[in-house]
Structure formats: C-alpha cells, structure tokens
Amino acid sequence: MEYNIIVAPDLEVLATEVAGYIPQGWKLKGGIFEHTTGYAQQLVRNPSDKLRSMHKPMPAKQRRTKWIE
C-alpha cells in the first residue's frame, strides 16, 4: 500500500494537484485537513492499481445496430 500527502496553500490549488494523481490509480483517503499554512489531502493506492493504470485495455469496437422499421 502506498500513501501520498498533497499540501497546498488554498483549496483551488489542492484540487488541481489531487486531480493529477487520480488517473495514476490514486484514491482519496479521508477528508481535507486544514492546518496553519494551508490544506492537505491524503491519497492511497495499491501496487496492483498502478499496474492496471499503466496497461489500459483497448477500447471495444462499437457494434453497428440495424434498425427495423
């Protein structure tokens, strides 16, 4: 299990920083913490989540449907 803590001076910067980690398999853990110099958010991920995000499956082909009138 991997842990990461993001620290930012305001909520807007915190949201943009955290949004960059979500596609890499990180998940939010707990709430947003307020401290004297800003805000913090804890993230967590399993090593298997990291591998899954690196090897995304190919998108399935869309099937054509034939409409009967």
Side-chain angles (χ1 to χ4, degrees):
M1 184 77 66
E2 294 178 87
Y3 295 94
N4 196 353
I5 297 175
I6 308 295
V7 179
D10 61 8
L11 289 174
E12 188 175 329
V13 174
L14 181 66
T16 56
E17 290 285 327
V18 169
Y21 285 91
I22 300 296
Q24 299 173 8
W26 291 93
K27 296 177 184 173
L28 300 176
K29 181 178 182 197
I32 296 173
F33 298 102
E34 185 176 359
H35 55 87
T36 56
T37 60
Y39 299 92
Q41 174 73 55
Q42 186 176 6
L43 305 171
V44 64
R45 82 171 163 189
N46 290 324
S48 61
D49 294 341
K50 185 169 114 177
L51 292 174
R52 272 189 234 138
S53 67
M54 292 171 61
H55 301 290
K56 291 184 181 178
M58 296 296 291
K61 292 182 181 178
Q62 286 185 335
R63 292 184 177 180
R64 291 186 178 185
T65 54
K66 193 175 200 180
W67 294 95
I68 302 172
E69 293 183 15

